[in-house]
Amino acid sequence: MIKKFKLYIMLVAVALSSVSCLDKMPEDGIPFDESLQTVSDINLAVIGIYDAFRSKYLYSGNLTLLPDIQTDLVYGVNGNTNVYGDIWRWKEIKPTNTDIEAVYGALYDVINRCNFMLDRADAVRKKTTDDKDLDKLDQCCGEAYLARALAYSELVKLFCKAYESDEDAAGQLGVILSEHYLGDETMRRASLKDSYQFILDDLDRAAELLELEEDFDTDTQGTLYDSIYFNEYTVHALRARVLLYMKRWDEAIKYATKVIDSGYYYLSSCTRAATSSASYYKYMWTNDFSTEAIWKVGFTVNAYGGALGQVFANYDYSTLRPDYVPATWAVNLYDMNDLRVSAFFQSFTTGYSHGLTWPLLIKYFGNESFTNYNILHVSMPKVLRLSEQYLIRAEAYVQRDQPDYGKAGSDISVLRTARYSSYGGSTSLNKENAMDVIEQERVKELYMEGFRLHDLKRWHKGFERTPQDQSLSNGSSLKVEKDDPLFVWPIPQHELDAPGSEVEPNESNK
């Protein structure tokens, strides 16, 4: 068992790419039994797993953007490039959509890399006698289990119905579960219950292998916040999210509390200055450094993923021609004292012939150090943040059998105190208003971070768009009822048509 948190510098990535869950190593690849012979090889394989998360189809692109663009948070602008247009128009989402196919394939690429490494780990362990090398091997396995759990958690969130209960989930379609790289597992979808249990089992393994030493000291061994590597508390944070989605309220509270009370992470203040021009909160978005980031995808100017902010700006050093602009209702949610507004939005006159002037999303305008190298709109995705843990715990407090509105209100107050210019008193929650407040707070805090589609799905809520200035006519007038089939993405057609496939489609495939 690993008892000490270590950092391993990202040096190279191994090439284990695949485009779908059915694709494995190419015929000219290194034979499986001859690969990954040493602990150093295993460590390089883990670096390859982290590298896979840099894909522009995952957190620095499609996986983050599509679930929010599909809903009611933004509007397409007249004259835009039609990027993600099928997704935004909703009714045109098909099983052959290449943007959805890319997410599916990239997530299974992560899983395949994890399985490849884990299947070789035991053979390497048998040949290893050095205690430090054995510790490193355990850490590597823990990171792989967590990476696999994270990838599967995203697959079930996007391609499956919401988890209602163990009984209901046993009869619902989950995802294809693959535990071995060269296994003979049948390519068919497990139940939703079994899919979530697979995730929890991986999190159990990861928690054991990534457990910190009892005398872990951030002064001598490094801080845990703003990390691009996994550790014990990354496991707890993801578990809290998964348990919320499973409606296991008390357990979600337990693991969110582990993260919140750990003392390793701190909400980034909107009032405390990080630099002469930016608060700690704004600096999180302009420079990708934050005391509340539990795990982020690491970029350098020589190795980075997609450009999250491209579709919201398309800046060409002269004008801005955004494909999508924020929805008025979302911008209007923020109170006058809420400083997230200035960190997220800024009014510009666009370069379109119609001259639209609108508050554009600057949250992802780009890391300033990247901009210095003429790399625009690239930001490191903050996949797990402390603020989400407060929101998870607040929601779980009000949803459990015996609601605790006082504790939920306290969590919202803590979050708002960090975000407002001033926030006095407490947040009063009760049976009538609690979920409305929490739902709105999730929009305000997690805007365009990829949560909206699943939130609406699990709350069984629809949404409505009404035209705003210079919004595209096709898509601006849209009413989506709760439980619409397209809240669950269609399984990519190539998976259904693959030789030997027994994959069942979703209702949205039909």
Side-chain angles (χ1 to χ4, degrees), residues 375-403:
I375 302 169
L376 302 182
H377 310 319
V378 171
S379 299
M380 298 185 211
K382 274 66 73 176
V383 179
L384 293 161
R385 289 196 290 125
L386 183 61
S387 60
E388 186 201 355
Q389 299 298 302
Y390 278 102
L391 291 167
I392 287 170
R393 192 168 71 172
E395 183 174 346
Y397 274 136
V398 303
Q399 293 279 29
R400 67 182 188 177
D401 291 340
Q402 296 181 322

Side-chain angles (χ1 to χ4, degrees), residues 2 14 89 105 107 109 167 193 200 217 296 298 311 355 357 361 370 396 405 418-419 427 430 445 455 457 470 472 494:
I2 183 73
V14 293
R89 289 187 290 272
L107 288 170
D109 176 30
E167 182 179 14
K193 181 180 179 181
L200 294 177
D217 185 353
K296 69 180 182 183
V311 298
T357 299
L361 183 70
F370 284 58
Y405 298 111
R419 305 301 189 233
T427 306
N430 54 53
E445 178 61 25
D455 281 350
K457 176 171 66 177
Q470 294 301 326
L472 292 167
H494 67 74

Side-chain angles (χ1 to χ4, degrees), residues 207-386:
E208 180 180 6
L209 294 168
L210 297 176
E211 184 179 3
L212 301 181
E213 285 184 329
E214 291 183 3
D215 61 350
F216 178 82
D217 185 353
T218 56
D219 289 336
T220 59
Q221 293 169 275
T223 58
L224 297 188
Y225 60 73
D226 203 53
S227 180
I228 62 175
Y229 301 99
F230 299 148
N231 63 69
E232 176 186 347
Y233 288 89
T234 323
V235 183
H236 296 330
L238 178 58
R239 192 192 294 267
R241 179 191 290 175
V242 169
L243 291 167
L244 181 81
Y245 293 167
M246 296 180 74
K247 300 187 176 182
R248 295 186 181 179
W249 313 121
D250 289 336
E251 293 178 79
I253 292 167
K254 173 184 175 181
Y255 286 96
T257 299
K258 281 180 179 287
V259 179
I260 293 168
D261 289 353
S262 69
Y264 294 128
Y265 309 96
Y266 314 91
L267 288 174
S268 298
S269 171
C270 282
T271 55
R272 290 185 58 205
T275 68
S276 59
S277 59
S279 67
Y280 276 96
Y281 186 71
K282 188 167 185 177
Y283 196 75
M284 173 165 59
W285 306 111
T286 59
N287 293 78
D288 293 328
F289 174 85
S290 172
T291 59
E292 71 176 60
I294 300 168
W295 180 65
K296 69 180 182 183
V297 181
F299 290 173
T300 70
V301 293
N302 297 312
Y304 53 90
L308 274 175
Q310 185 73 41
V311 298
F312 306 114
N314 288 320
Y315 182 58
D316 61 2
Y317 298 97
S318 175
T319 62
L320 294 142
R321 298 169 66 90
D323 294 297
Y324 297 94
V325 298
T328 300
W329 75 268
V331 177
N332 288 344
L333 278 182
Y334 297 86
D335 294 346
M336 290 183 60
N337 291 332
D338 196 331
L339 298 177
R340 285 174 291 198
V341 172
S342 59
F344 287 2
F345 311 107
Q346 185 175 341
S347 186
F348 290 95
T349 298
T350 65
Y352 289 109
S353 59
H354 49 68
L356 173 68
T357 299
W358 203 262
L360 305 187
L361 183 70
I362 60 170
K363 181 177 185 177
Y364 299 136
F365 197 81
N367 184 303
E368 291 178 346
S369 62
F370 284 58
T371 303
N372 293 336
Y373 288 87
N374 296 323
I375 302 169
L376 302 182
H377 310 319
V378 171
S379 299
M380 298 185 211
K382 274 66 73 176
V383 179
L384 293 161
R385 289 196 290 125
L386 183 61

Side-chain angles (χ1 to χ4, degrees), residues 117-145:
M117 192 227 82
L118 290 167
D119 280 354
R120 291 297 300 154
D122 282 345
V124 173
R125 184 177 283 106
K126 290 176 182 178
K127 298 187 297 182
T128 303
T129 57
D130 183 83
D131 286 344
K132 289 184 178 180
D133 282 345
L134 288 170
D135 275 354
K136 182 182 288 189
L137 184 58
D138 281 346
Q139 163 124 7
C140 289
C141 289
E143 290 170 290
Y145 282 125

